[in-house]
PDB file of all heavy atoms in Angstrom:
ATOM      1  N   PHE Y   1       7.990   8.841  16.152  1.00 87.00           N
ATOM      2  CA  PHE Y   1       7.023   9.654  15.350  1.00 87.00           C
ATOM      3  C   PHE Y   1       6.585   8.811  14.187  1.00 87.00           C
ATOM      4  O   PHE Y   1       5.397   8.991  13.773  1.00 87.00           O
ATOM      5  CB  PHE Y   1       7.803  10.931  14.829  1.00 87.00           C
ATOM      6  CG  PHE Y   1       7.902  11.967  15.852  1.00 87.00           C
ATOM      7  CD1 PHE Y   1       8.973  12.836  15.822  1.00 87.00           C
ATOM      8  CD2 PHE Y   1       6.850  12.234  16.732  1.00 87.00           C
ATOM      9  CE1 PHE Y   1       9.040  13.934  16.794  1.00 87.00           C
ATOM     10  CE2 PHE Y   1       6.977  13.298  17.651  1.00 87.00           C
ATOM     11  CZ  PHE Y   1       8.060  14.035  17.615  1.00 87.00           C
ATOM     12  N   ALA Y   2       7.300   7.946  13.609  1.00 90.00           N
ATOM     13  CA  ALA Y   2       6.901   7.040  12.651  1.00 90.00           C
ATOM     14  C   ALA Y   2       5.751   6.064  13.083  1.00 90.00           C
ATOM     15  O   ALA Y   2       4.774   5.984  12.388  1.00 90.00           O
ATOM     16  CB  ALA Y   2       7.985   6.257  12.035  1.00 90.00           C
ATOM     17  N   LEU Y   3       5.929   5.647  14.289  1.00 86.00           N
ATOM     18  CA  LEU Y   3       4.883   4.828  14.883  1.00 86.00           C
ATOM     19  C   LEU Y   3       3.530   5.480  15.119  1.00 86.00           C
ATOM     20  O   LEU Y   3       2.547   5.126  14.918  1.00 86.00           O
ATOM     21  CB  LEU Y   3       5.405   4.149  16.132  1.00 86.00           C
ATOM     22  CG  LEU Y   3       6.502   3.029  16.063  1.00 86.00           C
ATOM     23  CD1 LEU Y   3       6.989   2.633  17.415  1.00 86.00           C
ATOM     24  CD2 LEU Y   3       6.000   1.945  15.342  1.00 86.00           C
ATOM     25  N   PHE Y   4       3.793   6.756  15.541  1.00 83.00           N
ATOM     26  CA  PHE Y   4       2.527   7.617  15.831  1.00 83.00           C
ATOM     27  C   PHE Y   4       1.932   7.935  14.493  1.00 83.00           C
ATOM     28  O   PHE Y   4       0.631   8.004  14.409  1.00 83.00           O
ATOM     29  CB  PHE Y   4       2.981   9.002  16.456  1.00 83.00           C
ATOM     30  CG  PHE Y   4       2.780   8.961  18.005  1.00 83.00           C
ATOM     31  CD1 PHE Y   4       3.917   8.770  18.797  1.00 83.00           C
ATOM     32  CD2 PHE Y   4       1.573   9.124  18.486  1.00 83.00           C
ATOM     33  CE1 PHE Y   4       3.828   8.706  20.132  1.00 83.00           C
ATOM     34  CE2 PHE Y   4       1.507   9.014  19.986  1.00 83.00           C
ATOM     35  CZ  PHE Y   4       2.477   8.877  20.848  1.00 83.00           C
ATOM     36  N   ALA Y   5       2.704   8.091  13.523  1.00 83.00           N
ATOM     37  CA  ALA Y   5       2.110   8.376  12.077  1.00 83.00           C
ATOM     38  C   ALA Y   5       1.370   7.148  11.633  1.00 83.00           C
ATOM     39  O   ALA Y   5       0.125   7.243  11.189  1.00 83.00           O
ATOM     40  CB  ALA Y   5       3.077   8.798  11.108  1.00 83.00           C
ATOM     41  N   LEU Y   6       1.874   5.984  11.826  1.00 85.00           N
ATOM     42  CA  LEU Y   6       1.120   4.732  11.507  1.00 85.00           C
ATOM     43  C   LEU Y   6      -0.117   4.547  12.386  1.00 85.00           C
ATOM     44  O   LEU Y   6      -1.303   4.086  11.841  1.00 85.00           O
ATOM     45  CB  LEU Y   6       2.019   3.490  11.770  1.00 85.00           C
ATOM     46  CG  LEU Y   6       3.217   3.467  10.676  1.00 85.00           C
ATOM     47  CD1 LEU Y   6       4.207   2.337  11.151  1.00 85.00           C
ATOM     48  CD2 LEU Y   6       2.634   3.099   9.293  1.00 85.00           C
ATOM     49  N   LEU Y   7       0.044   4.866  13.742  1.00 81.00           N
ATOM     50  CA  LEU Y   7      -1.129   4.842  14.549  1.00 81.00           C
ATOM     51  C   LEU Y   7      -2.268   5.719  14.075  1.00 81.00           C
ATOM     52  O   LEU Y   7      -3.472   5.310  13.974  1.00 81.00           O
ATOM     53  CB  LEU Y   7      -0.747   5.093  15.909  1.00 81.00           C
ATOM     54  CG  LEU Y   7      -1.820   4.893  17.009  1.00 81.00           C
ATOM     55  CD1 LEU Y   7      -2.316   3.446  17.075  1.00 81.00           C
ATOM     56  CD2 LEU Y   7      -1.244   5.277  18.428  1.00 81.00           C
ATOM     57  N   GLY Y   8      -1.962   6.885  13.708  1.00 79.00           N
ATOM     58  CA  GLY Y   8      -2.860   7.865  13.232  1.00 79.00           C
ATOM     59  C   GLY Y   8      -3.519   7.538  11.956  1.00 79.00           C
ATOM     60  O   GLY Y   8      -4.635   7.687  11.714  1.00 79.00           O
ATOM     61  N   GLY Y   9      -2.656   7.097  11.041  1.00 80.00           N
ATOM     62  CA  GLY Y   9      -3.210   6.582   9.789  1.00 80.00           C
ATOM     63  C   GLY Y   9      -4.154   5.344   9.999  1.00 80.00           C
ATOM     64  O   GLY Y   9      -5.128   5.450   9.270  1.00 80.00           O
ATOM     65  N   GLY Y  10      -3.771   4.525  10.718  1.00 80.00           N
ATOM     66  CA  GLY Y  10      -4.529   3.439  10.971  1.00 80.00           C
ATOM     67  C   GLY Y  10      -5.892   3.707  11.685  1.00 80.00           C
ATOM     68  O   GLY Y  10      -6.969   3.197  11.292  1.00 80.00           O
ATOM     69  N   ALA Y  11      -5.887   4.751  12.590  1.00 78.00           N
ATOM     70  CA  ALA Y  11      -7.092   5.146  13.203  1.00 78.00           C
ATOM     71  C   ALA Y  11      -8.088   5.812  12.274  1.00 78.00           C
ATOM     72  O   ALA Y  11      -9.167   5.682  12.316  1.00 78.00           O
ATOM     73  CB  ALA Y  11      -6.793   6.124  14.391  1.00 78.00           C
ATOM     74  N   TRP Y  12      -7.402   6.642  11.362  1.00 74.00           N
ATOM     75  CA  TRP Y  12      -8.167   7.321  10.324  1.00 74.00           C
ATOM     76  C   TRP Y  12      -8.812   6.268   9.441  1.00 74.00           C
ATOM     77  O   TRP Y  12     -10.036   6.458   9.187  1.00 74.00           O
ATOM     78  CB  TRP Y  12      -7.241   8.253   9.443  1.00 74.00           C
ATOM     79  CG  TRP Y  12      -7.802   8.889   8.302  1.00 74.00           C
ATOM     80  CD1 TRP Y  12      -8.052   8.320   7.154  1.00 74.00           C
ATOM     81  CD2 TRP Y  12      -8.229  10.232   8.167  1.00 74.00           C
ATOM     82  NE1 TRP Y  12      -8.547   9.270   6.176  1.00 74.00           N
ATOM     83  CE2 TRP Y  12      -8.705  10.418   6.874  1.00 74.00           C
ATOM     84  CE3 TRP Y  12      -8.286  11.267   9.107  1.00 74.00           C
ATOM     85  CZ2 TRP Y  12      -9.297  11.593   6.496  1.00 74.00           C
ATOM     86  CZ3 TRP Y  12      -8.952  12.513   8.662  1.00 74.00           C
ATOM     87  CH2 TRP Y  12      -9.393  12.611   7.378  1.00 74.00           C
ATOM     88  N   MET Y  13      -8.177   5.340   8.880  1.00 77.00           N
ATOM     89  CA  MET Y  13      -8.723   4.416   7.931  1.00 77.00           C
ATOM     90  C   MET Y  13      -9.795   3.572   8.716  1.00 77.00           C
ATOM     91  O   MET Y  13     -10.838   3.180   8.083  1.00 77.00           O
ATOM     92  CB  MET Y  13      -7.681   3.559   7.396  1.00 77.00           C
ATOM     93  CG  MET Y  13      -6.783   4.263   6.429  1.00 77.00           C
ATOM     94  SD  MET Y  13      -5.504   3.134   5.600  1.00 77.00           S
ATOM     95  CE  MET Y  13      -4.555   2.653   7.032  1.00 77.00           C
ATOM     96  N   TRP Y  14      -9.529   3.108   9.914  1.00 77.00           N
ATOM     97  CA  TRP Y  14     -10.406   2.332  10.524  1.00 77.00           C
ATOM     98  C   TRP Y  14     -11.772   3.208  10.849  1.00 77.00           C
ATOM     99  O   TRP Y  14     -12.933   2.609  10.683  1.00 77.00           O
ATOM    100  CB  TRP Y  14      -9.962   2.051  11.981  1.00 77.00           C
ATOM    101  CG  TRP Y  14     -10.871   1.279  12.995  1.00 77.00           C
ATOM    102  CD1 TRP Y  14     -11.331   0.014  12.865  1.00 77.00           C
ATOM    103  CD2 TRP Y  14     -11.656   1.972  13.921  1.00 77.00           C
ATOM    104  NE1 TRP Y  14     -12.360  -0.159  13.871  1.00 77.00           N
ATOM    105  CE2 TRP Y  14     -12.485   0.996  14.431  1.00 77.00           C
ATOM    106  CE3 TRP Y  14     -11.765   3.283  14.472  1.00 77.00           C
ATOM    107  CZ2 TRP Y  14     -13.421   1.211  15.548  1.00 77.00           C
ATOM    108  CZ3 TRP Y  14     -12.631   3.552  15.510  1.00 77.00           C
ATOM    109  CH2 TRP Y  14     -13.448   2.510  16.044  1.00 77.00           C
ATOM    110  N   ALA Y  15     -11.680   4.445  11.155  1.00 75.00           N
ATOM    111  CA  ALA Y  15     -12.834   5.197  11.493  1.00 75.00           C
ATOM    112  C   ALA Y  15     -13.684   5.483  10.179  1.00 75.00           C
ATOM    113  O   ALA Y  15     -14.902   5.451  10.274  1.00 75.00           O
ATOM    114  CB  ALA Y  15     -12.469   6.594  12.076  1.00 75.00           C
ATOM    115  N   GLN Y  16     -12.914   5.707   9.098  1.00 72.00           N
ATOM    116  CA  GLN Y  16     -13.660   5.893   7.754  1.00 72.00           C
ATOM    117  C   GLN Y  16     -14.317   4.611   7.384  1.00 72.00           C
ATOM    118  O   GLN Y  16     -15.451   4.582   6.796  1.00 72.00           O
ATOM    119  CB  GLN Y  16     -12.664   6.448   6.718  1.00 72.00           C
ATOM    120  CG  GLN Y  16     -12.308   7.782   6.984  1.00 72.00           C
ATOM    121  CD  GLN Y  16     -11.742   8.448   5.740  1.00 72.00           C
ATOM    122  OE1 GLN Y  16     -11.067   7.860   4.902  1.00 72.00           O
ATOM    123  NE2 GLN Y  16     -12.066   9.720   5.385  1.00 72.00           N
ATOM    124  N   SER Y  17     -13.657   3.452   7.539  1.00 76.00           N
ATOM    125  CA  SER Y  17     -14.302   2.183   7.276  1.00 76.00           C
ATOM    126  C   SER Y  17     -15.411   1.879   7.990  1.00 76.00           C
ATOM    127  O   SER Y  17     -16.566   1.449   7.577  1.00 76.00           O
ATOM    128  CB  SER Y  17     -13.219   1.083   7.442  1.00 76.00           C
ATOM    129  OG  SER Y  17     -13.762  -0.248   7.213  1.00 76.00           O
ATOM    130  N   LEU Y  18     -15.452   2.237   9.325  1.00 73.00           N
ATOM    131  CA  LEU Y  18     -16.548   2.058  10.238  1.00 73.00           C
ATOM    132  C   LEU Y  18     -17.663   2.957   9.775  1.00 73.00           C
ATOM    133  O   LEU Y  18     -18.828   2.505   9.789  1.00 73.00           O
ATOM    134  CB  LEU Y  18     -16.119   2.294  11.614  1.00 73.00           C
ATOM    135  CG  LEU Y  18     -17.181   2.093  12.663  1.00 73.00           C
ATOM    136  CD1 LEU Y  18     -17.682   0.758  12.869  1.00 73.00           C
ATOM    137  CD2 LEU Y  18     -16.622   2.652  14.109  1.00 73.00           C
ATOM    138  N   ALA Y  19     -17.312   4.112   9.456  1.00 70.00           N
ATOM    139  CA  ALA Y  19     -18.440   5.156   9.004  1.00 70.00           C
ATOM    140  C   ALA Y  19     -19.070   4.550   7.701  1.00 70.00           C
ATOM    141  O   ALA Y  19     -20.306   4.723   7.602  1.00 70.00           O
ATOM    142  CB  ALA Y  19     -17.820   6.444   8.865  1.00 70.00           C
ATOM    143  N   ALA Y  20     -18.286   3.986   6.833  1.00 68.00           N
ATOM    144  CA  ALA Y  20     -18.932   3.489   5.568  1.00 68.00           C
ATOM    145  C   ALA Y  20     -19.743   2.301   5.813  1.00 68.00           C
ATOM    146  O   ALA Y  20     -20.871   2.239   5.069  1.00 68.00           O
ATOM    147  CB  ALA Y  20     -17.670   3.025   4.674  1.00 68.00           C
ATOM    148  N   THR Y  21     -19.438   1.549   6.743  1.00 73.00           N
ATOM    149  CA  THR Y  21     -20.335   0.283   6.992  1.00 73.00           C
ATOM    150  C   THR Y  21     -21.624   0.915   7.588  1.00 73.00           C
ATOM    151  O   THR Y  21     -22.703   0.091   7.579  1.00 73.00           O
ATOM    152  CB  THR Y  21     -19.754  -0.561   8.012  1.00 73.00           C
ATOM    153  OG1 THR Y  21     -19.548   0.026   9.381  1.00 73.00           O
ATOM    154  CG2 THR Y  21     -18.445  -1.210   7.484  1.00 73.00           C
ATOM    155  N   GLN Y  22     -21.687   2.103   8.206  1.00 67.00           N
ATOM    156  CA  GLN Y  22     -22.917   2.678   8.701  1.00 67.00           C
ATOM    157  C   GLN Y  22     -23.674   3.513   7.667  1.00 67.00           C
ATOM    158  O   GLN Y  22     -24.750   4.247   8.017  1.00 67.00           O
ATOM    159  CB  GLN Y  22     -22.557   3.565   9.920  1.00 67.00           C
ATOM    160  CG  GLN Y  22     -21.963   2.661  11.048  1.00 67.00           C
ATOM    161  CD  GLN Y  22     -22.742   1.574  11.488  1.00 67.00           C
ATOM    162  OE1 GLN Y  22     -23.995   1.638  11.699  1.00 67.00           O
ATOM    163  NE2 GLN Y  22     -22.145   0.388  11.715  1.00 67.00           N
ATOM    164  N   GLY Y  23     -23.187   3.589   6.513  1.00 64.00           N
ATOM    165  CA  GLY Y  23     -23.796   4.278   5.354  1.00 64.00           C
ATOM    166  C   GLY Y  23     -23.389   5.722   5.209  1.00 64.00           C
ATOM    167  O   GLY Y  23     -23.982   6.447   4.464  1.00 64.00           O
ATOM    168  N   ALA Y  24     -22.361   6.154   6.021  1.00 61.00           N
ATOM    169  CA  ALA Y  24     -21.947   7.563   5.999  1.00 61.00           C
ATOM    170  C   ALA Y  24     -20.996   7.703   4.748  1.00 61.00           C
ATOM    171  O   ALA Y  24     -20.241   6.752   4.425  1.00 61.00           O
ATOM    172  CB  ALA Y  24     -21.188   7.923   7.271  1.00 61.00           C
ATOM    173  N   ASP Y  25     -20.977   8.752   4.121  1.00 65.00           N
ATOM    174  CA  ASP Y  25     -19.960   9.070   3.097  1.00 65.00           C
ATOM    175  C   ASP Y  25     -19.555  10.609   3.058  1.00 65.00           C
ATOM    176  O   ASP Y  25     -20.286  11.461   3.822  1.00 65.00           O
ATOM    177  CB  ASP Y  25     -20.449   8.578   1.735  1.00 65.00           C
ATOM    178  CG  ASP Y  25     -21.815   9.192   1.349  1.00 65.00           C
ATOM    179  OD1 ASP Y  25     -22.298  10.195   2.045  1.00 65.00           O
ATOM    180  OD2 ASP Y  25     -22.383   8.713   0.388  1.00 65.00           O
ATOM    181  N   GLY Y  26     -18.827  10.934   2.289  1.00 64.00           N
ATOM    182  CA  GLY Y  26     -18.476  12.454   2.054  1.00 64.00           C
ATOM    183  C   GLY Y  26     -17.959  12.906   3.331  1.00 64.00           C
ATOM    184  O   GLY Y  26     -16.986  12.516   4.056  1.00 64.00           O
ATOM    185  N   TRP Y  27     -18.559  14.084   3.861  1.00 66.00           N
ATOM    186  CA  TRP Y  27     -17.955  14.822   4.894  1.00 66.00           C
ATOM    187  C   TRP Y  27     -18.174  14.077   6.208  1.00 66.00           C
ATOM    188  O   TRP Y  27     -17.337  14.287   7.168  1.00 66.00           O
ATOM    189  CB  TRP Y  27     -18.663  16.228   5.086  1.00 66.00           C
ATOM    190  CG  TRP Y  27     -20.045  16.232   5.355  1.00 66.00           C
ATOM    191  CD1 TRP Y  27     -21.252  16.166   4.572  1.00 66.00           C
ATOM    192  CD2 TRP Y  27     -20.665  16.305   6.746  1.00 66.00           C
ATOM    193  NE1 TRP Y  27     -22.398  16.099   5.307  1.00 66.00           N
ATOM    194  CE2 TRP Y  27     -22.054  16.161   6.634  1.00 66.00           C
ATOM    195  CE3 TRP Y  27     -20.074  16.502   8.015  1.00 66.00           C
ATOM    196  CZ2 TRP Y  27     -22.876  16.298   7.741  1.00 66.00           C
ATOM    197  CZ3 TRP Y  27     -20.902  16.492   9.103  1.00 66.00           C
ATOM    198  CH2 TRP Y  27     -22.203  16.576   8.987  1.00 66.00           C
ATOM    199  N   LEU Y  28     -19.168  13.230   6.366  1.00 70.00           N
ATOM    200  CA  LEU Y  28     -19.403  12.490   7.555  1.00 70.00           C
ATOM    201  C   LEU Y  28     -18.257  11.456   7.768  1.00 70.00           C
ATOM    202  O   LEU Y  28     -17.715  11.277   8.879  1.00 70.00           O
ATOM    203  CB  LEU Y  28     -20.681  11.697   7.490  1.00 70.00           C
ATOM    204  CG  LEU Y  28     -21.956  12.622   7.712  1.00 70.00           C
ATOM    205  CD1 LEU Y  28     -23.164  11.703   7.536  1.00 70.00           C
ATOM    206  CD2 LEU Y  28     -21.969  13.222   9.180  1.00 70.00           C
ATOM    207  N   SER Y  29     -17.818  10.939   6.597  1.00 69.00           N
ATOM    208  CA  SER Y  29     -16.736   9.886   6.770  1.00 69.00           C
ATOM    209  C   SER Y  29     -15.479  10.538   6.969  1.00 69.00           C
ATOM    210  O   SER Y  29     -14.655  10.215   7.932  1.00 69.00           O
ATOM    211  CB  SER Y  29     -16.595   9.216   5.314  1.00 69.00           C
ATOM    212  OG  SER Y  29     -15.431   8.269   5.356  1.00 69.00           O
ATOM    213  N   ALA Y  30     -15.239  11.843   6.537  1.00 71.00           N
ATOM    214  CA  ALA Y  30     -14.048  12.532   6.842  1.00 71.00           C
ATOM    215  C   ALA Y  30     -14.086  13.049   8.272  1.00 71.00           C
ATOM    216  O   ALA Y  30     -13.118  13.035   8.981  1.00 71.00           O
ATOM    217  CB  ALA Y  30     -13.945  13.829   5.930  1.00 71.00           C
ATOM    218  N   LEU Y  31     -15.260  13.487   8.717  1.00 74.00           N
ATOM    219  CA  LEU Y  31     -15.393  13.752  10.165  1.00 74.00           C
ATOM    220  C   LEU Y  31     -15.021  12.655  11.136  1.00 74.00           C
ATOM    221  O   LEU Y  31     -14.395  12.925  12.126  1.00 74.00           O
ATOM    222  CB  LEU Y  31     -16.835  14.297  10.445  1.00 74.00           C
ATOM    223  CG  LEU Y  31     -17.141  14.741  11.862  1.00 74.00           C
ATOM    224  CD1 LEU Y  31     -16.341  16.026  12.135  1.00 74.00           C
ATOM    225  CD2 LEU Y  31     -18.674  15.048  11.980  1.00 74.00           C
ATOM    226  N   ALA Y  32     -15.441  11.484  10.731  1.00 70.00           N
ATOM    227  CA  ALA Y  32     -15.139  10.298  11.577  1.00 70.00           C
ATOM    228  C   ALA Y  32     -13.598  10.167  11.599  1.00 70.00           C
ATOM    229  O   ALA Y  32     -12.880   9.851  12.653  1.00 70.00           O
ATOM    230  CB  ALA Y  32     -15.749   9.097  11.015  1.00 70.00           C
ATOM    231  N   GLY Y  33     -12.913  10.325  10.463  1.00 71.00           N
ATOM    232  CA  GLY Y  33     -11.525  10.199  10.415  1.00 71.00           C
ATOM    233  C   GLY Y  33     -10.791  11.252  11.244  1.00 71.00           C
ATOM    234  O   GLY Y  33      -9.818  10.987  11.997  1.00 71.00           O
TER     235      GLY Y  33
END
């Protein structure tokens, strides 16, 4: 479960970072996460 939590957290941060590079912010960034 700890590994799944890390995987989920990593996926969340990666998605938000990717969204930020595309100019998305606020609810769009959260949606990507």
Side-chain angles (χ1 to χ4, degrees):
F1 282 144
L3 290 174
F4 265 101
L6 289 173
L7 182 61
W12 173 280
M13 290 187 291
W14 173 81
Q16 288 199 321
S17 175
L18 182 62
T21 62
Q22 302 300 315
D25 56 10
W27 69 272
L28 285 175
S29 179
L31 183 62

